[in-house]
Amino acid sequence: MDLNPIFFTAFASLAIAFALLVVLKKNPVASAFSLVLVFFCFAAMYAMLDAHLLAALQVLVYAGAIMVLFIFVIMLLAADVPSFDLGRSHVGLRIGSGAVSLVLLGLFVWAFRHTESFGAKGTLTAAKIESVGGNTQAISQLMFSDYLLPFELTSVLLLAGIVGAVAIAKRQNPRKEGSGS
Amino acid sequence: METANHLIRPEFLSLGADQIHALMPYFVAFAGCLVTLLLSVIRSVNPKWPVLLGTVATCVAASVLSIEQIREPSLSLFNGMMVSDSFSAFFNTVFLATAGMTALASFRYLDRERLQHTEYYVLLLFSALGMMLMTSALDLIVVFIALEIMSLAVYVLVGFRRADRRSNEAAMKYFILGSAASAVFLYGSALLYGATGSLNLREILAVLQSHPEGMSPIFTLGSWLVLLGFLFKVASVPFHMWMPDVYEGAPVPVTGFMTTGLKAAAFATLVRLFLALGFGKAVASTLQQHVHDILWVVAVLTMLVGNVVALTQTNLKRMLAYSSIAHTGYLLVGLLAGGGSDQGFSAVVMYLTVYAIMNLGAFVVLSVLAEQGDTGLNLHDLSGLARRRPWIAFALAVFLFSMAGIPPTAGFAAKYLVFYSAIQAGEIWLVVLGVLCSAISVYYYLRVMVYMYMKEPVGSAAPSRVSFWAASVVAAMVVLTLQVGILPARLVHAAKKAVTSL
């Protein structure tokens, strides 16, 4: 159950490195592939925490479905604009944003170092999950009882998202929507 | 597998009759979303009529159900993730009424701009549903999902004039910055979860109470981030950059919906968070001091910047955007004072309702006045409006007087209550600054009046007809503004009742 510090450090630093690449790379396809690798690192950490179902879902859903879609869209739509290069930003702006980021980083490091008491641990011990029948059973049982509301609301959110996407992407037909007909 | 090993608690698998009753407004609103969605694919007639009717009927039915629930005792739902009480019922009514009025007032506007009717109404309903869920949520996950339902629909509504570059730009800006704000909120919630082991507000409160000596730095950081996420959503000053552009680029009725519904939802959720986490009571006093100081600075900056920048605006839409920032400042004053006064947070609730009434009215007037492509809203376009269209000028004058806080309008009663509660809470300087800012604001509100009533008309183009529905919405809002201004007791009472139910 406990994280192996060597593997944790390895995957965490890989995740940070690839996350930086996502932001710094000017080519959107390279950014997207770096993001895939970030997701893989996360999946590895979930697996180390014995959350095998989450790890598998992370790979299947994020790294698999969503990112492939991302990359397809980038390649199909922006084939002739292969770059996020917005030109050189102002020097003052760069220094300013760099300084703010460093201050924030320092704040977080300080906060985590000075926190002694974290929240109470959950009640789902490894033995209890085993007795229910494994991760998959435990997650699905909780999702349909204790966490029913957020689970159902997520589908409302997706529906709203679909309607919105259709509204934006639909072909405009002024003759039909105009005041006349 | 033996039944003893299930994690499912059977009480969460079914809904009792009382719970179904409490959830009815939400069911009706969601059913309305689905039915209007189905109606919008009708081929035999132009679907815009049935969808508009469906939207308005949904809003009316759900708000009638909500009004009935204002008197009912509070009921915890879904494992304590959501609660149905007078507060949520009160705000559900406000949101649904706002959405319904916006739908009615948008009809002619959408025709004129040649925009798609059907998805517009469906998205309005989705957004209202998100607002309803957000104010009744007691769990940070549910708050987040509801916030996203509301925001996603509004992102699309902002960019609804797809052929217009400014609308596109506004939608893009709002989407990117809004997503960043959601991420900040989410990260804050994650830190709170790390610090307390729960996302449920009641359980977080229990942890807070069991640590009277103060919480860990992680908890402080988490609560800052959650607060920042909300301060962004309400466009208070260090985070207001997006707002004038978005308000100017969005279609006029959507801007009205954003300034009223969205702002009311964000503030109502903040009030619930504050009350649920015991703000103003003797819990974790250092953290409270932090939150108090942050809000104090933000409130003062918001009032100052909003009012001063509004002075220089010549476009009416942009001026109202900055004035909306200023009103956020007054609301923050009420939020700060809420813990320490007899009124509690009822002043904020009252102000939100009144602001929704007058601002919705003002934006409906603007959408009537606007010409193709949202032009014709500069100050000089209003010259002599009183002679060309006396009733419209009168309505706009009433709303602007109310926003300036001049009796006998609703704005005066609301502002009085907010500043009174701030004095009770001992925030004298805040009140002094607030009243000064309010005095500044009279200048730019009155300037519009000067243009309307004291200048010669320019360009006597035949005025476009005002749709019956927009006119009735404006008339209803004028009556409400004056009625609440002259007899505010009923609304104050309802607001108090809503807040004490928390």
Side-chain angles (χ1 to χ4, degrees), chain A residues 107-108 110-112 114-120 124 128 131-133 137-142 144-151 153-154 156-161 163-181, chain B residues 1 5-9 12-13 30 34 37 42-43 46-48 78-79 81-82 111 114-119 122-123 126 129 133 141-142 145-146 148-149 152-153 156 160 162-163 187 191 193-197 211 216-218 221 224-225:
Chain A
L107 191 65
F108 276 99
W110 177 85
F112 276 98
H114 285 77
T115 299
E116 294 96 24
S117 65
F118 286 96
L124 286 174
K128 188 159 182 191
S131 77
V132 175
Q137 275 87 346
I139 286 183
S140 30
Q141 289 185 5
L142 284 179
F144 283 101
S145 59
D146 289 26
Y147 293 91
L148 183 66
L149 182 68
F151 178 70
L153 284 186
T154 312
V156 178
L157 173 63
L158 290 178
L159 184 62
V163 175
V166 169
I168 285 189
K170 196 168 150 185
R171 188 179 297 138
Q172 204 123 20
N173 192 346
R175 252 183 324 126
K176 193 152 180 296
E177 294 290 337
S179 51
S181 56
Chain B
M1 189 174 55
N5 285 339
H6 280 301
L7 287 172
I8 293 183
R9 283 185 272 170
F12 296 136
L13 287 181
F30 184 56
L34 297 182
L37 201 54
I42 291 181
R43 288 260 165 233
N46 191 334
K48 65 186 184 184
F78 294 113
N79 193 18
M81 291 206 164
M82 186 179 150
D111 265 349
R114 300 186 173 277
L115 297 173
Q116 323 240 8
H117 279 261
T118 51
E119 286 90 353
V122 178
L123 287 170
F126 266 113
L129 178 66
L133 288 163
I141 304 181
V142 181
I145 297 177
E148 285 301 295
I149 296 177
L152 258 182
V156 179
F160 219 75
R162 284 187 298 167
Y187 195 42
L191 290 181
Y193 184 69
T196 61
H211 290 77
S216 54
I218 294 284
L221 207 55
W224 282 358
L225 291 182

Side-chain angles (χ1 to χ4, degrees), chain B residues 231-286:
Chain B
L231 287 182
F232 176 91
K233 279 282 167 202
V234 298
S236 51
V237 152
F239 320 102
H240 70 291
M241 304 329 191
W242 57 276
M243 196 230 227
D245 289 340
V246 172
Y247 277 18
E248 199 187 356
V252 188
V254 175
T255 314
F257 184 63
M258 283 174 73
T259 54
T260 54
L262 223 70
K263 181 173 283 189
F267 265 106
T269 313
L270 263 184
V271 168
R272 187 181 282 283
L273 286 179
F274 272 41
L275 272 174
L277 295 180
F279 184 77
K281 304 193 189 91
V283 173
S285 50
T286 38

Side-chain angles (χ1 to χ4, degrees), chain B residues 201-392:
Chain B
L201 294 181
R202 289 191 176 138
E203 286 167 32
I204 293 179
L205 177 65
V207 175
L208 266 175
Q209 280 166 338
S210 63
H211 290 77
E213 74 284 356
M215 294 298 294
S216 54
I218 294 284
F219 185 89
T220 315
L221 207 55
S223 38
W224 282 358
L225 291 182
V226 168
L227 190 65
L228 289 191
F230 274 104
L231 287 182
F232 176 91
K233 279 282 167 202
V234 298
S236 51
V237 152
F239 320 102
H240 70 291
M241 304 329 191
W242 57 276
M243 196 230 227
D245 289 340
V246 172
Y247 277 18
E248 199 187 356
V252 188
V254 175
T255 314
F257 184 63
M258 283 174 73
T259 54
T260 54
L262 223 70
K263 181 173 283 189
F267 265 106
T269 313
L270 263 184
V271 168
R272 187 181 282 283
L273 286 179
F274 272 41
L275 272 174
L277 295 180
F279 184 77
K281 304 193 189 91
V283 173
S285 50
T286 38
L287 180 62
Q288 257 184 52
Q289 199 56 43
H290 281 298
V291 171
H292 176 270
D293 293 349
I294 294 179
L295 281 185
W296 201 94
V297 174
V298 169
V300 169
L301 281 178
T302 309
M303 287 190 291
L304 272 178
V305 172
N307 279 313
V308 171
V309 182
L311 285 179
T312 61
Q313 303 302 321
T314 53
N315 182 300
L316 213 55
K317 212 171 162 190
R318 223 174 154 83
M319 187 202 93
L320 282 180
Y322 279 104
S323 104
S324 153
I325 296 180
H327 285 280
T328 301
Y330 307 138
L331 282 162
L332 286 173
V333 171
L335 203 60
L336 257 180
S341 71
D342 303 342
Q343 268 76 33
F345 291 94
S346 71
V348 181
V349 174
M350 163 93 179
Y351 202 100
L352 279 175
T353 319
V354 167
Y355 183 69
I357 294 171
M358 59 198 184
N359 220 36
L360 193 63
F363 273 98
V364 174
V365 170
L366 288 201
S367 69
V368 168
L369 289 176
E371 286 153 25
Q372 181 83 38
D374 281 359
T375 52
L377 288 179
N378 288 316
L379 270 178
H380 64 85
D381 294 316
L382 295 184
S383 302
L385 189 73
R387 243 161 291 170
R388 282 182 290 151
R389 315 173 85 172
W391 286 107
I392 295 220

Side-chain angles (χ1 to χ4, degrees), chain A:
Chain A
M1 191 67 175
D2 283 330
L3 274 177
N4 183 330
I6 300 171
F7 280 113
F8 174 76
T9 319
F11 281 115
S13 37
L14 271 179
I16 294 173
F18 285 121
L20 278 176
L21 280 185
V22 175
V23 187
L24 296 177
K25 277 280 177 188
K26 300 229 153 130
N27 186 333
V29 178
S31 287
F33 274 108
S34 312
L35 195 55
V36 173
L37 291 171
V38 175
F39 288 149
F40 268 110
C41 294
F42 281 178
M45 277 193 254
Y46 295 151
M48 285 192 293
L49 287 167
D50 281 352
H52 302 297
L53 177 70
L54 267 192
L57 287 180
Q58 173 84 8
V59 172
L60 282 179
V61 176
Y62 278 95
I66 295 182
M67 284 316 295
V68 169
L69 205 64
F70 241 53
I71 290 168
F72 267 127
V73 169
I74 292 171
M75 288 181 174
L76 286 178
L77 289 185
D80 48 342
V81 197
S83 143
F84 284 159
D85 194 355
L86 303 173
R88 294 185 71 79
S89 50
H90 195 268
V91 181
L93 190 70
R94 284 188 178 188
I95 294 174
S97 47
V100 170
S101 318
L102 280 181
V103 168
L104 267 182
L105 182 67
L107 191 65
F108 276 99
V109 170
W110 177 85
F112 276 98
R113 295 225 145 207
H114 285 77
T115 299
E116 294 96 24
S117 65
F118 286 96
K121 281 196 176 151
T123 51
L124 286 174
T125 54
K128 188 159 182 191
I129 293 175
E130 202 52 53
S131 77
V132 175
N135 270 320
T136 317
Q137 275 87 346
I139 286 183
S140 30
Q141 289 185 5
L142 284 179
M143 201 177 260
F144 283 101
S145 59
D146 289 26
Y147 293 91
L148 183 66
L149 182 68
F151 178 70
E152 295 297 340
L153 284 186
T154 312
S155 38
V156 178
L157 173 63
L158 290 178
L159 184 62
I162 294 170
V163 175
V166 169
I168 285 189
K170 196 168 150 185
R171 188 179 297 138
Q172 204 123 20
N173 192 346
R175 252 183 324 126
K176 193 152 180 296
E177 294 290 337
S179 51
S181 56

Side-chain angles (χ1 to χ4, degrees), chain B residues 98-146:
Chain B
T98 316
M101 300 269 187
T102 310
L104 279 180
S106 308
F107 191 74
R108 177 70 48 101
Y109 178 88
L110 293 174
D111 265 349
R112 197 187 63 222
E113 300 283 323
R114 300 186 173 277
L115 297 173
Q116 323 240 8
H117 279 261
T118 51
E119 286 90 353
Y120 181 90
Y121 302 130
V122 178
L123 287 170
L124 266 183
L125 272 183
F126 266 113
S127 171
L129 178 66
M131 292 170 188
M132 291 163 67
L133 288 163
M134 193 160 107
T135 34
S136 42
L138 269 188
D139 191 287
L140 290 174
I141 304 181
V142 181
V143 172
F144 175 71
I145 297 177

